[in-house]
Amino acid sequence: MIPRLLGFLLLALPLAAQSRVAIETELGTLEILLEDAKAPRTVANFLRYVDAGAYKEGRFHRTVRPDNQPQNKVKIEVIQGGAAREDRDFPPIPLERTRDTGLKHVDGTLSMARDTPDSATSDFFICVGDQPELDFGGRRNPDGQGFAAFGRVVKGMEVVRKIQARPAKAQALTPPVKILAVRRLPAGS
């Protein structure tokens, strides 16, 4: 009786909310599932930029791939995008480490770009392939704190790969890929 009752109670509990957003680019649209419950501060930070319209007319400006990081001992593959103007940035947020969230930098992971811990604002990146060196303890950032993973691409990885393959000077996309809009999607979409 108790296991059956427990099962019923678990079914009656609301599922943890997972926000969804669409990132519309000039090359196609990405649909992102955000990890609200696991990385609440990072998701809230990203959504405040979305709600402020900061990503409209933003851009994917960086591609990191095997052929353009000769000086890096630890290689990664990502594309990086951000808001239209950095002067519209909100204050930086505390780093939600993958050690604490349980999230990993796998293919399609959305994560916040940063220099030092607690410095992330509006720039974000998307992993192309699994990138464990970006997790807590990874060697890509010398401080070993990793980056704040907070979502994943659920539709549109072909667009991510198109962006990554675009022409670049060093790691700067030439020209950048325009972000036309980033908007919230209705629950359950």
Side-chain angles (χ1 to χ4, degrees), residues 6-183:
L6 182 58
F8 176 76
L9 290 174
L10 288 175
L11 287 174
L13 291 173
L15 296 175
Q18 285 189 295
S19 302
R20 288 181 180 262
V21 296
I23 301 175
E24 298 173 25
T25 78
E26 63 184 316
L27 297 180
T29 300
L30 312 174
E31 187 175 319
I32 311 289
L33 179 68
L34 301 176
E35 294 286 355
D36 305 61
K38 293 180 179 181
R41 286 189 309 249
T42 308
V43 168
N45 176 67
F46 180 73
L47 289 175
R48 71 180 168 173
Y49 284 101
V50 170
D51 294 342
Y55 294 119
K56 184 177 179 178
E57 299 177 9
R59 60 198 170 96
F60 280 98
H61 55 85
R62 182 175 180 219
T63 180
V64 184
R65 53 190 189 224
D67 69 337
N68 69 3
Q69 49 187 320
Q71 305 305 326
N72 296 100
K73 291 179 184 173
V74 178
K75 310 285 189 214
I76 61 168
E77 290 190 62
V78 301
I79 61 170
Q80 184 173 334
R85 295 184 6 223
E86 289 182 15
D87 64 339
R88 294 174 59 185
D89 278 348
F90 294 106
I93 60 167
L95 175 63
E96 287 182 302
R97 293 160 178 81
T98 57
R99 164 196 70 194
D100 302 326
T101 65
L103 299 171
K104 301 292 181 201
H105 287 89
V106 296
D107 189 39
T109 294
L110 181 68
S111 193
M112 293 307 294
R114 69 168 185 88
D115 291 321
T116 60
D118 307 334
S119 67
T121 55
S122 64
D123 261 27
F124 59 88
F125 63 87
I126 299 171
C127 294
V128 180
D130 294 352
Q131 305 300 322
E133 295 294 351
L134 299 174
D135 292 336
F136 180 83
R139 298 174 297 143
R140 180 57 181 213
N141 194 306
D143 63 30
Q145 297 301 299
F147 295 81
F150 68 100
R152 69 183 185 282
V153 176
V154 293
K155 290 182 187 170
M157 274 306 288
E158 69 282 357
V159 176
V160 171
R161 288 178 183 17
K162 273 195 247 180
I163 294 170
Q164 187 197 28
R166 300 283 290 202
K169 183 175 182 181
Q171 294 179 5
L173 284 164
T174 54
V177 174
K178 293 176 188 171
I179 296 174
L180 307 175
V182 180
R183 60 183 169 77

